[in-house]
Amino acid sequence: MRKFSDKIATLVFWGTALSLGALLAGVLAFVVNRGWAALSWEFISEPPRDGMTAGGIWTPLVGTLELIAVSMVATVPVGVGTGLYFSEYATDSFFTHVLRQSIRALAGVPSVVFGLFGLSLFVIFLGFGSSMLSASLTLACLSLPLMVTASEQAFRAVPQDYRDASYALGATKWQTIRKVVLPSAASTIITGVILSIGRVAGETAPIIFTGAAFYTPGVAQSLFDEVMALPYHVYVLATAGTNIEATRPLQYGAILVLVGLVLGISSVGVWMRTRLTRGQ
Amino acid sequence: MDKTQTESDRDLPQVRTQGLNLYYGPDRVLWSLNFDIPRGCVAAFIGPSGCGKSSYLRCLNRMNDFIPGARVEGHVLIDGADIYAPGVDVIALRRRVGMVFQKPNPFPMSIYENVAYGPRLFGVKNREALDETVRSSLEGAALWSEVKDKLNTLGTGLSGGQQQRLCIARAIATEPEVLLMDEPTSALDPLSTSRIEELIRDLKSRFTVAIVTHNMQQAARISDYTAFFLLGELVEYGPTSRIFTVPEDKRTEDYITGRFG
Amino acid sequence: MLHTRKRGTTSPHFGGWGDRVAARTALSVSTVCILIMGFILYFLVKESLPVLKATTLSELLFGMDWYPQETPPALGMFPLIMSSLAVTFLSSAIGLPVSLAIAVFTAEIAPRRLRNLVKPLLELLGFIPSIVFGFLGMVVVAPWLQDRFSLLTGLNMANASALLGMMMVPIVGSLADEALCAVPRELRDASYALGATRWETIRRVVLPSALPGILSASLLGVMRATGETMVMLMAAGGAAVIPRSLFDPVRPLTSTIAAEMGETPVGSEHYHALFFAGLILLLITLAINLLSAKIEAKGFKLKGGNL
């Protein structure tokens, strides 16, 4: 009886895992299968045409890359700096406690609330308008907790011996950080950045009312232009296009590119991290 | 097990090891072990670290089954039955062969639940029977008087020595015939150690005890038989009093007199 | 005070102004994180308070009608709040058991090779953008549901909840797996040595020991589900009524904000009401966050008693 229930349990767990795997493989195969037909060099390299019923996804694709770049420029220094503070400077003080709780709370804020916040602070209060800058800064806030956690872990993983060795040679704290701690932690931090990009690239809700455009004739040229983004483009085509059923191939194509982009970036990050942790 | 069989088993050694080889993948860990542990004795296994004494201990309740690539040749007979015969019920075997580990490892549950864990597994549901088992096991482990008023507090909250005695109580609650102890005092302070040694001497009236220790004085103090292992081989085995006074093998003598290890 | 080191034994000299600049910079940069969280709270409160001029708090929270475009607007959010709670509950009921089963599978049952393959894949799945799930809900799940159960629309609570449940699995599964793996080997050994089977060991020792970690992982999943927007927007149907059946369309707080913020004039009552909806969401997630911090602290204590 006891062995019987052990067998049943084992069977149930294998069953769950296998069916989940099959389901996800099926979904992925479906997306690839449908999207593959739409994929071509022109699809990638041409902007949408004819009221977004034809052409490609060049504009939203570039827009997404621009959003990623600007948001990372904003988030990486702050994230790494805060991680450095936690690992090297923080004492058990009230400030540190508040900081930790803030980051924890920030990590739980729903993405649409980040959107509201971006709208009220960047778009309206600071007067950036609905623009690439506002959207990127909103995304930067969203990815900040990820960046902080990743860099803090990276710094903490640097063995104390390295620091002691540097101090023993007469280095100051800042010299030690710059010459020893930062270089040792760099690859882990880069992994953190890549994983943050993977998270940010597909976000839709925070940019809907902070800077994502329904349609722009060309690629955004300045920080204050509105910008098309791939995930929002999919949303628009699927829900508000001029001819939703007729543009299905475009939608599948765009979804496939988005999934490919996000999973491509993230798998590099996951792979790098696996290698780094194995090396330790 | 019926009565007549128990009668005839009296003459058998409790644990008989015949031509036992153990491999971890390509590595041979134990080399053709042959020896008997008599009923109601304390047998101590000594030897330098990595000599295979703990691996041998884990052969006796088949805990080596969990190590990927582990393979056993030969026979271990407990009460005359080969525990490596095909179709042996490992679960039932482990009920008969209890084990206490190097580091105290109480479950993060109450003291009561820790001790009741084994009996519950084997289907004891009656509250009074459980209460009785918990009490007698804790008494058997010389812990009852210290914890009888706080049976519902966490077992992990006890001191190291108390935790180890709780683990002993947990192991004897299933009324095993053999009790395996893998360096049970190595993580404890001297005072707790001497309490546990005292306890082991008491336990042998009810169980056959097989204990691994790196502490030769401990082996001399508590055991009836001593086995000296070296590089996976059994160098010498015999009554403790003889091993520690007139060892037959030069290597045993060198080890006991502290020339290596 | 800033220079006090927590670790190590050496106490290096700090003299140069470079050191002081670096310390100050790290400190001020960290302050940005606090500022952002503070600003989020401040702006949500500031932008949502004016709605109380147009209506009362109890009307907002318990009003049954959500017609924000009418004059005067009806700003009752009860159906939205109930939709959010219903979808969160249903998706958790689907997603959490599956997540836990997957975690047990990877941590306790799968052979090591398979585990090393499955864990990174599971984590990668967590990166798939929610819009993808929303899209699939719209074009695949909805038509299927509609045909299968002859419904008016396949865009409904069951659809969105199933998708959300799926989305929980990678996050909750990965975290719960970590919690299970953190249970010391020795406890499993002790259980096996007492004659327990694998399932008994999992159920009676491993799962209870990992409970704080599993709970906090589950809460994170619940929090994500409450805040998820795109799936709700695309697959939930969007009717502002209290759901009475699994197949009723619903309109949770998140999708209401996302769908309506674009078309409402800044400063209108509707605009402020949407911020109020955001504030409710924020408070819910903060509460869940606090709860999970409590659980973690308790779990830490539990472990603290251990050797």
Side-chain angles (χ1 to χ4, degrees):
Chain A
M1 181 60 208
R2 290 175 53 212
K3 273 186 209 146
F4 181 68
S5 50
D6 187 54
K7 287 227 167 64
I8 294 289
T10 307
L11 225 80
V12 166
F13 287 116
W14 271 99
T16 314
L18 288 180
S19 30
L20 188 77
L23 182 64
L24 287 163
V27 167
L28 225 59
F30 177 80
V31 170
V32 172
N33 183 30
R34 289 294 174 92
W36 200 252
L39 231 51
S40 65
W41 175 241
E42 285 71 35
F43 183 71
I44 305 285
S45 66
E46 282 183 17
R49 276 185 287 113
D50 305 341
M52 296 199 289
T53 56
I57 52 163
W58 176 248
T59 329
L61 183 61
V62 173
T64 285
L65 296 179
E66 288 175 321
L67 285 171
I68 291 174
V70 178
S71 63
M72 285 301 126
V73 166
T75 196
V76 169
V78 180
V80 173
T82 309
L84 191 69
Y85 173 79
F86 271 134
S87 152
E88 310 295 319
Y89 294 101
T91 53
D92 206 2
S93 66
F94 179 68
F95 176 80
T96 310
H97 179 74
V98 172
L99 185 57
R100 245 195 222 291
Q101 292 310 314
S102 300
I103 287 160
R104 198 191 162 98
L106 215 50
V109 173
S111 55
V112 71
V113 172
F114 273 108
L116 289 177
F117 161 70
L119 171 68
S120 51
L121 177 64
F122 302 125
V123 178
I124 299 173
F125 187 77
L126 295 176
F128 297 156
S130 178
S131 64
M132 191 205 301
L133 183 62
S134 299
S136 301
L137 289 176
T138 308
L139 288 176
C141 294
L142 181 137
S143 63
L144 191 55
L146 292 171
M147 239 4 269
V148 173
T149 318
S151 12
E152 184 188 350
Q153 280 170 357
F155 289 127
R156 284 199 189 279
V158 177
Q160 183 63 33
D161 300 356
Y162 290 13
R163 296 185 182 81
D164 289 345
S166 168
Y167 290 137
L169 291 169
T172 66
K173 184 160 188 150
W174 173 237
Q175 285 167 332
T176 303
I177 290 171
R178 199 164 54 90
K179 297 259 169 75
V180 177
V181 180
L182 268 175
S184 317
S187 49
T188 318
I189 292 174
I190 291 169
T191 308
V193 175
I194 293 173
L195 290 173
S196 303
I197 291 175
R199 284 258 179 264
V200 164
E203 279 292 348
T204 321
I207 58 173
I208 295 182
F209 22 83
T210 54
F214 189 84
Y215 174 75
T216 58
V219 169
Q221 301 292 334
S222 106
L223 283 175
F224 294 97
D225 286 352
E226 281 203 316
V227 60
M228 287 181 84
L230 203 48
Y232 187 57
H233 185 61
V234 172
Y235 172 67
V236 166
L237 286 183
T239 59
T242 34
N243 192 341
I244 293 175
E245 284 303 325
T247 59
R248 278 285 185 249
L250 288 182
Q251 297 166 23
Y252 278 113
I255 280 281
L256 180 58
V257 173
L258 181 65
V259 171
L261 183 75
V262 170
L263 288 190
I265 295 170
S266 322
S267 45
V268 170
V270 169
W271 177 75
M272 279 178 66
R273 206 193 38 206
T274 315
R275 278 192 39 151
L276 285 169
T277 43
R278 199 171 292 163
Q280 272 165 16
Chain B
M1 187 176 309
D2 62 78
K3 205 160 179 235
T4 46
Q5 205 189 338
T6 325
E7 223 84 63
S8 68
D9 282 352
R10 278 279 142 73
D11 314 324
L12 279 170
Q14 179 92 58
V15 181
R16 164 166 279 177
T17 306
Q18 288 179 331
L20 184 76
N21 294 313
L22 173 69
Y23 301 85
Y24 287 157
D27 303 322
R28 192 166 177 183
V29 190
L30 294 176
W31 299 71
S32 321
L33 304 184
N34 285 295
F35 67 109
D36 292 344
I37 302 173
R39 206 170 291 276
C41 289
V42 176
F45 307 136
I46 59 171
S49 27
C51 66
K53 54 193 194 298
S54 286
S55 300
Y56 170 70
L57 200 71
R58 283 166 175 260
C59 284
L60 300 184
N61 64 347
R62 295 190 56 173
M63 286 297 276
N64 281 329
D65 289 12
F66 295 115
I67 297 170
R71 193 160 52 83
V72 169
E73 285 169 1
H75 308 281
V76 175
L77 282 67
I78 293 184
D79 283 335
D82 187 357
I83 63 167
Y84 284 99
V88 163
D89 185 346
V90 180
I91 304 297
L93 165 72
R94 296 202 183 116
R95 184 182 181 176
R96 287 163 54 208
V97 183
M99 185 164 194
V100 176
F101 295 82
Q102 190 169 353
K103 222 177 87 181
N105 56 356
F107 300 129
M109 320 167 179
S110 71
I111 293 170
Y112 185 95
E113 287 302 324
N114 261 287
V115 182
Y117 183 84
R120 276 192 207 277
L121 286 180
F122 301 108
V124 181
K125 292 216 170 68
N126 182 317
R127 188 75 197 184
E128 279 162 30
L130 274 178
D131 287 350
E132 176 53 28
T133 308
V134 169
R135 188 188 56 76
S136 64
S137 306
L138 284 168
E139 276 174 357
L143 190 60
W144 174 252
S145 59
E146 289 160 64
V147 299
K148 64 173 190 282
D149 300 323
K150 49 175 186 177
L151 290 176
N152 290 320
T153 58
L154 274 178
T156 42
L158 297 171
S159 75
Q162 288 175 322
Q163 285 189 19
Q164 194 62 305
R165 276 180 280 146
L166 176 59
C167 293
I168 293 172
R170 185 176 64 186
I172 62 181
T174 57
E175 296 177 6
E177 296 156 35
V178 182
L179 197 56
L180 311 177
M181 300 184 136
D182 189 357
E183 301 193 15
T185 60
S186 65
L188 303 180
D189 61 275
L191 202 68
S192 310
T193 300
S194 72
R195 291 210 62 170
I196 295 216
E197 287 183 7
E198 214 171 290
L199 177 59
I200 293 170
R201 278 196 293 266
D202 293 343
L203 287 172
K204 77 173 175 187
S205 59
R206 295 168 56 201
F207 313 98
T208 304
V209 178
I211 179 170
V212 165
T213 176
H214 59 247
N215 178 336
M216 275 175 292
Q217 284 74 37
Q218 183 169 65
R221 279 194 299 265
I222 61 174
S223 71
D224 306 304
Y225 289 85
T226 297
F228 172 57
F229 283 73
L230 191 62
L231 301 171
E233 275 182 274
L234 180 67
V235 173
E236 193 167 355
Y237 177 64
T240 301
S241 50
R242 184 184 63 69
I243 294 270
F244 278 90
T245 48
V246 277
E248 284 166 4
D249 196 292
K250 182 80 172 61
R251 291 170 291 174
T252 314
E253 193 183 336
D254 286 350
Y255 183 70
I256 289 170
T257 52
R259 243 167 268 174
F260 74 95
Chain C
M1 188 186 74
L2 282 175
H3 296 310
T4 318
R5 288 168 75 233
K6 285 183 304 181
R7 294 177 286 167
T9 47
T10 52
S11 57
H13 298 287
F14 303 104
W17 66 272
D19 262 5
R20 251 172 293 146
V21 170
R24 292 277 151 76
T25 312
L27 180 70
S28 25
V29 162
S30 331
T31 315
V32 172
C33 301
I34 300 181
L35 280 181
I36 291 174
M37 194 57 227
F39 274 143
I40 289 178
L41 272 171
Y42 169 75
F43 276 102
L44 262 86
V45 170
K46 172 179 165 271
E47 295 287 2
S48 58
L49 279 186
V51 76
L52 294 176
K53 281 182 209 148
T55 179
T56 63
L57 187 63
S58 69
E59 179 55 30
L60 265 178
L61 289 177
F62 301 112
M64 295 300 289
D65 298 308
W66 178 255
Y67 299 115
Q69 311 279 32
E70 313 237 306
T71 34
L75 299 172
M77 290 190 191
F78 195 62
L80 313 182
I81 296 172
M82 288 317 282
S83 294
S84 273
L85 294 182
V87 176
T88 304
F89 179 79
L90 193 56
S91 58
S92 306
I94 298 167
L96 295 183
V98 178
S99 311
L100 197 56
I102 292 297
V104 170
F105 178 77
T106 56
E108 305 290 326
I109 294 192
R112 195 179 301 179
R113 283 242 185 98
L114 186 63
R115 170 191 162 77
N116 287 346
L117 181 76
V118 170
K119 276 202 71 182
L121 282 182
L122 189 65
E123 200 191 351
L124 271 186
L125 287 175
F127 281 90
I128 295 182
S130 57
I131 181 115
V132 177
F133 287 92
F135 179 76
L136 290 172
M138 227 173 133
V139 303
V140 182
V141 184
W144 181 80
L145 276 177
Q146 207 168 339
D147 283 356
R148 182 75 179 68
F149 299 96
S150 28
L151 304 167
L152 282 175
T153 170
L155 300 174
N156 54 35
M157 183 159 86
N159 186 345
S161 303
L163 289 164
L164 270 181
M166 289 279 296
M167 289 173 65
M168 269 188 204
V169 173
I171 309 162
V172 182
S174 295
L175 287 170
D177 170 87
E178 277 172 36
L180 292 173
C181 288
V183 174
R185 249 228 82 73
E186 289 87 13
L187 294 187
R188 294 184 179 85
D189 280 352
S191 172
Y192 285 125
L194 286 164
T197 63
R198 177 162 67 181
W199 170 235
E200 284 162 345
T201 304
I202 293 171
R203 191 165 62 92
R204 292 169 180 245
V205 175
V206 181
L207 284 177
S209 307
L211 196 62
I214 291 172
L215 279 180
S216 111
S218 305
L219 281 176
L220 189 80
V222 171
M223 193 161 76
R224 283 286 170 82
T226 318
E228 174 47 45
T229 310
M230 296 320 287
V231 168
M232 310 278 203
L233 193 55
M234 298 176 82
V241 292
I242 294 175
R244 309 228 173 261
S245 111
L246 286 181
F247 297 119
D248 278 353
V250 288
R251 190 183 189 86
L253 293 163
T254 49
S255 60
T256 308
I257 299 171
E260 296 174 12
M261 191 46 106
E263 17 183 285
T264 181
V266 172
S268 66
E269 284 160 7
H270 185 194
Y271 170 89
H272 294 304
L274 291 179
F275 267 93
F276 189 81
L279 187 63
I280 296 176
L281 277 173
L282 184 64
L283 293 180
I284 292 176
T285 51
L286 284 179
I288 296 178
N289 223 325
L290 218 64
L291 189 61
S292 103
K294 279 256 154 59
I295 289 172
E296 272 164 42
K298 205 164 176 198
F300 187 70
K301 248 191 224 156
L302 225 149
K303 281 205 191 104
N306 218 328
L307 265 186

